[in-house]
Amino acid sequence: MKIITHVALTLACLLAVSNASFAQADAGTALQQSQEAGRFTFIVFYKDNSPQTQQMLQVVQQSITSQPQNATLATASMASAQGQALAEKFQVSRAPMPMTVAVAPNGAVTGLFPRQVAKANIDAAIVPPVMMECMKELQAQKLVFVCLTKSEQAAVPAGVRALQLDPKFKDRMALIGLNVEDTTEARLMQQLKVDAGMVQGPYAALIAPPGVLVGHFSGTSTADQIAAAIHKAGKCCDDPNCKHAGNAQASQSTATRR
């Protein structure tokens, strides 16, 4: 009895210390308030007050202590209706527990950590703005064209603009600008396999769900070449007779695949 009481008190104390203003609110309310404040939310889903749950709460709490302006801890019990609803929203209701879900201010999920989590995971889940936006669009099943620039105004390759007129792609595309000289986005640049020297005029890197690098496209890339690269990557459509299949070979000199 004493052990159970001690564990329950520890859980309550961790929640209170981590975010006193949300202590009386459910995790959904905490998430909303955190997003409105522009902070990342780390939601710890749990079934019971097990040692694993305590360890996870402690790691998350200690990891975000140094940056309260960027991150908030919230907890969600799978024994409550609110916790179950939130778990369904993030599709983790059947995941191993405890589970930490990292949610960006824009709603993108930037990390899923079942059973255990480390400080390095928490730090990596706090991503910079452009990367955060890319993750949001990818999770919405969009083809994300990251338009690279060396100024504040991103130039979009003509082929990408032309592709926006294709009914097959127009509602599935997202265009996001990225200044290649922005050092805060170095991790995204590395994942896109680009550097500042590659950008001479309009230039875009295409990533497709869940995070596949389809290729790089310059101002000379045509809409057909880009569409063929998408088809070759298996991100076009399910039609075996797709018109873009025949152009896949032509795209090889233009697109670079992972």
Side-chain angles (χ1 to χ4, degrees):
M1 183 68 174
K2 289 183 179 179
I3 293 176
I4 295 175
T5 302
H6 173 71
V7 171
L9 285 172
T10 302
L11 177 63
C13 288
L14 275 171
L15 178 56
V17 171
S18 67
N19 200 349
S21 64
F22 295 154
Q24 302 302 318
D26 64 79
T29 301
L31 174 63
Q32 180 181 351
Q33 293 178 346
S34 182
Q35 289 178 322
E36 290 173 354
R39 290 193 294 262
F40 284 77
T41 310
F42 291 87
I43 308 171
V44 177
F45 291 89
Y46 65 96
K47 287 185 177 179
D48 51 41
N49 297 330
S50 66
Q52 272 189 315
T53 298
Q54 295 300 316
Q55 176 67 16
M56 180 171 284
L57 279 165
Q58 184 176 21
V59 171
V60 176
Q61 164 62 26
Q62 292 178 346
S63 299
I64 68 173
T65 296
S66 61
Q67 44 186 335
Q69 73 282 6
N70 291 328
T72 294
L73 167 64
T75 61
S77 170
M78 295 300 292
S80 70
Q82 294 94 334
Q84 290 177 8
L86 201 59
E88 287 288 345
K89 175 181 178 179
F90 292 111
Q91 300 180 1
V92 297
S93 58
R94 298 186 180 183
M97 296 289 163
M99 159 77 78
T100 293
V101 178
V103 188
N106 69 348
V109 174
T110 59
L112 295 169
F113 311 108
R115 293 199 175 99
Q116 59 184 5
V117 66
K119 182 179 185 301
N121 300 135
I122 301 301
D123 292 342
I126 299 177
V127 302
V130 178
M131 189 173 185
M132 177 174 66
E133 189 60 30
C134 288
M135 295 175 79
K136 175 69 173 178
E137 296 293 353
L138 287 170
Q139 288 165 22
Q141 299 303 305
K142 295 291 185 69
L143 295 167
V144 179
F145 288 86
V146 183
C147 299
L148 304 157
T149 179
K150 291 183 179 179
S151 67
E152 295 304 314
Q153 186 65 40
V156 181
V160 175
R161 288 292 190 198
L163 195 67
Q164 288 182 302
L165 301 177
D166 188 327
K168 191 182 294 294
F169 297 106
K170 67 182 182 68
D171 295 326
R172 297 173 51 209
M173 293 172 58
L175 274 58
I176 299 174
L178 172 61
N179 189 328
V180 296
E181 296 177 347
D182 183 355
T183 57
T184 64
E185 300 287 350
R187 192 175 7 154
L188 178 57
M189 290 282 290
Q190 184 178 20
Q191 293 179 2
L192 295 176
K193 298 183 179 180
V194 295
D195 57 58
M198 298 171 65
V199 180
Q200 303 294 332
Y203 198 93
L206 170 59
I207 42 180
V212 178
L213 176 60
V214 174
H216 298 161
F217 305 97
S218 67
T220 62
S221 303
T222 67
D224 284 343
Q225 288 174 323
I226 300 171
I230 296 171
H231 180 89
K232 188 172 184 293
K235 303 298 179 179
C236 180
C237 62
D238 297 324
D239 183 0
N241 299 312
C242 176
K243 67 178 182 179
H244 300 301
N247 294 326
Q249 186 65 34
S251 72
Q252 292 181 358
S253 62
T254 306
T256 302
R257 295 253 339 254
R258 242 182 212 172

